[in-house]
Amino acid sequence: MDQNNLHTLFFIDHILKNEQAQKIQQLANEYSAENAHIRDMAKEQADLFLSQLPISSYGEEKVKRLYFDGCFDLMHSGHFNALRQAKELCETLVVGVIKSDAIAKAKGPPIMTDEERLALASACKWVDEVVVQETYDPTIEQIDRHSCSHVAHGDDLVQTADGKDAYQPFKDAKRMKIFKRTEGISTTDIVGRMLLMTKEVMWEEKKVFQKQTIVEASNINQLDIDQASIEQTLNNKILNTTRRIMQFSNNKKPKSGDKIVYIDGSFDILHQGHVDVLRKAKEMGDFLYVGVYDNETINKIKGKNYPILNLQERVLNLLAIKYVDEVIMGVPYKVNEQLIKNFKIDLVVEGSCSQKTSEDPYELPIKLGIYQQIKAVNKQTADQLIERIVSNRLRFLEKYNSRKKKEINFFENHDYKVEEI
């Protein structure tokens, strides 16, 4: 075999490490010893070639147990998409929820408690096991303790207090899996919306910056929110595709004989109260439909500048919850005959903490005898979460301005080499 053909052989052998390349690999091995200089040159060029390709873990053999840690504060579709991608890389996904005191030391206190964040992470359909993580940055000893071979993180890798890559030990040990960060949404972004919702009308399409005072007592209108951060928060929208919705969807429908349960609401900012009521609703039948109000309907019900999350964001959040079988988008506020017949609903349920107008949305189900109220054990609401921010507004504002600048810098300088799974 001439040198040009040998070079090509070694080059392909180094790139293609799969079953389809077995014959090439066998042939390359036969010539490898006596043509080491050609082999090494081809390997060097192949490495250069591979380094210029987008990085992707998709298609690799799944690891048995993978560890993925996070704060999971104000859990959103970006978190859920990260968990979905991590699950694609493993058979068992172990999620470490970082304790509040460790988060506070690293970047300021979270909005949700440990219990609330653990409940949300545990409710995700892609999560197999949940553990409490005592430190902000994971260690090899920690993942060994949970019998995990690798750790996973988005391509927005974090730095330690001294400026070092927090995940370098895992990279050096070849125990690192990297996936693409979901753009267009973050906890920082949601906190910004909450801060702005008492200052700007966020959902009015014609006038984005129409001034409106909502919480007079808080004086939040006087807050010095960085102008660049405001513009980035309002302009930075999650760009969903039909592929993303399919990735989140269960792609299932009720089977013959299933008892079909229906529950509806805003589901704006997922919290422990939502998880509890969805779990109980699922336990009342075989198939759970969740109806989600559109933005305009929520604004009419709740006023102010609600909803915080738009319809697409709220739908993805619900599809990620393991108790939800299917989501119906933009449902009417008042449950009607068409809705009941089209989806063959046997039982309509309502959480006892749901917010109503003077018009009873469940008049027809009550009349038909197919209505039942679920008593809420956890009475948490989105209003309470906002109040936590308002009552500590100066602390959260400082944290928001700092982290928003980091996000803007990340997106402006990111090389986008990592593909989404």
Side-chain angles (χ1 to χ4, degrees):
M1 187 178 292
D2 63 38
Q3 289 194 355
N4 287 333
N5 288 336
L6 273 173
H7 184 278
T8 303
L9 174 67
F10 292 135
F11 185 89
I12 295 173
D13 169 59
H14 189 67
I15 291 176
L16 299 178
K17 296 294 184 183
N18 52 46
E19 292 180 1
Q20 295 176 347
Q22 282 183 356
K23 291 184 178 178
I24 293 176
Q25 291 168 15
Q26 290 172 0
L27 192 58
N29 288 335
E30 291 179 15
Y31 289 93
S32 183
E34 59 190 60
N35 297 279
H37 64 292
I38 301 176
R39 179 200 62 206
D40 293 342
M41 186 187 303
K43 181 179 183 300
E44 184 178 336
Q45 292 181 359
D47 284 337
L48 178 62
F49 172 75
L50 289 171
S51 70
Q52 295 171 344
L53 291 176
I55 303 168
S56 175
S57 298
Y58 191 66
E60 294 182 7
E61 184 179 352
K62 290 187 176 184
V63 300
K64 295 288 184 182
R65 291 173 63 84
L66 180 66
Y67 190 84
F68 176 46
D69 72 306
C71 302
F72 304 110
D73 196 21
L74 298 180
M75 208 158 177
H76 51 72
S77 59
H79 289 130
F80 289 125
N81 195 43
L83 292 166
R84 180 193 65 78
Q85 292 184 83
K87 179 60 178 175
E88 288 284 350
L89 301 172
C90 65
E91 294 178 10
T92 300
L93 179 60
V94 181
V95 170
V97 178
I98 304 170
K99 288 194 71 173
S100 294
D101 54 356
I103 298 172
K105 289 177 183 177
K107 60 179 186 180
I111 295 162
M112 289 182 164
T113 66
D114 289 351
E115 180 187 357
E116 291 163 354
R117 293 180 294 111
L118 281 164
L120 286 169
S122 299
C124 177
K125 65 184 180 183
W126 294 297
V127 175
D128 298 300
E129 299 176 20
V130 174
V131 298
V132 175
Q133 183 171 303
E134 300 287 340
T135 59
Y136 187 74
D137 299 316
T139 64
I140 289 179
E141 291 74 22
Q142 283 177 334
I143 71 167
D144 285 343
R145 191 160 58 247
H146 299 295
S147 303
C148 295
S149 62
H150 292 70
V151 70
H153 199 280
D155 57 349
D156 55 328
L157 295 174
V158 297
Q159 292 183 331
T160 58
D162 55 1
K164 295 179 181 178
D165 184 347
Y167 288 85
Q168 194 60 50
F170 298 99
K171 292 177 182 177
D172 293 341
K174 301 189 183 304
R175 299 179 66 177
M176 181 84 203
K177 296 286 185 181
I178 300 175
F179 50 79
K180 187 177 185 296
R181 170 183 171 152
T182 304
E183 297 171 23
I185 190 166
S186 67
T187 297
T188 300
D189 180 55
I190 294 172
V191 170
R193 297 186 206 182
M194 288 175 161
L195 287 167
L196 287 170
M197 72 178 297
T198 58
K199 189 173 181 177
E200 316 289 347
V201 176
M202 294 180 60
W203 297 114
E204 182 164 330
E205 295 179 2
K206 294 181 180 179
K207 298 179 181 179
V208 176
F209 283 96
Q210 179 182 338
K211 300 295 179 183
Q212 184 181 62
T213 301
I214 300 299
V215 185
E216 297 284 357
S218 73
N219 290 323
I220 200 168
N221 282 1
Q222 307 302 317
L223 292 180
D224 183 20
I225 303 178
D226 182 76
Q227 186 61 33
S229 298
I230 289 177
E231 293 175 1
Q232 212 269 351
T233 292
L234 291 173
N235 295 328
N236 188 31
K237 296 180 179 179
I238 187 168
L239 300 175
N240 287 323
T241 61
T242 53
R243 179 173 179 266
R244 172 66 52 75
I245 295 173
M246 288 174 64
Q247 288 169 333
F248 273 56
S249 173
N250 293 315
N251 193 26
K252 63 190 293 188
K253 59 183 181 180
K255 301 187 298 294
S256 177
D258 278 355
K259 182 179 180 180
I260 299 172
V261 181
Y262 173 82
I263 187 170
D264 58 16
S266 307
F267 299 101
D268 192 19
I269 306 294
L270 272 184
H271 52 68
Q272 192 175 1
H274 288 139
V275 170
D276 289 345
V277 77
L278 289 171
R279 175 180 53 79
K280 290 181 178 179
K282 175 65 176 177
E283 290 171 353
M284 299 172 80
D286 304 298
F287 192 95
L288 179 61
Y289 278 118
V290 180
V292 188
Y293 303 144
D294 61 25
N295 299 334
E296 184 180 359
T297 299
I298 296 171
N299 189 255
K300 286 179 180 177
I301 298 168
K302 301 191 71 173
K304 302 180 184 179
N305 294 315
Y306 286 102
I308 299 163
L309 301 182
N310 66 38
L311 179 60
Q312 290 184 43
E313 292 166 335
R314 291 180 284 118
V315 167
L316 289 179
N317 286 348
L318 286 166
L319 286 172
I321 301 300
K322 61 185 176 184
Y323 309 116
V324 177
D325 293 302
E326 181 61 291
V327 174
I328 309 172
M329 296 175 275
V331 296
Y333 175 65
K334 193 167 184 176
V335 177
N336 56 35
E337 186 177 5
Q338 180 190 13
L339 182 68
I340 293 171
K341 285 186 175 180
N342 281 1
F343 295 97
K344 300 177 181 179
I345 296 167
D346 298 304
L347 180 65
V348 175
V349 299
E350 174 198 15
S352 59
C353 286
S354 62
Q355 187 173 343
K356 296 180 182 177
T357 63
S358 57
E359 183 181 26
D360 188 353
Y362 304 107
E363 181 182 353
L364 180 59
I366 292 171
K367 183 180 178 181
L368 294 174
I370 60 170
Y371 167 86
Q372 190 170 336
Q373 189 179 76
I374 298 174
K375 187 176 180 180
V377 176
N378 186 304
K379 297 183 179 181
Q380 190 173 52
T381 65
D383 286 334
Q384 291 172 348
L385 294 174
I386 291 173
E387 186 54 39
R388 291 181 192 179
I389 292 177
V390 170
S391 61
N392 296 280
R393 56 194 179 278
L394 294 177
R395 184 178 65 186
F396 281 112
L397 178 65
E398 182 181 358
K399 177 179 175 181
Y400 167 75
N401 283 337
S402 172
R403 294 195 63 78
K404 198 62 187 179
K405 287 176 182 177
K406 290 180 181 179
E407 280 192 5
I408 293 171
N409 181 65
F410 171 78
F411 289 121
E412 286 179 349
N413 298 290
H414 193 44
D415 58 13
Y416 295 95
K417 289 183 70 175
V418 178
E419 293 179 342
E420 182 169 280
I421 299 173

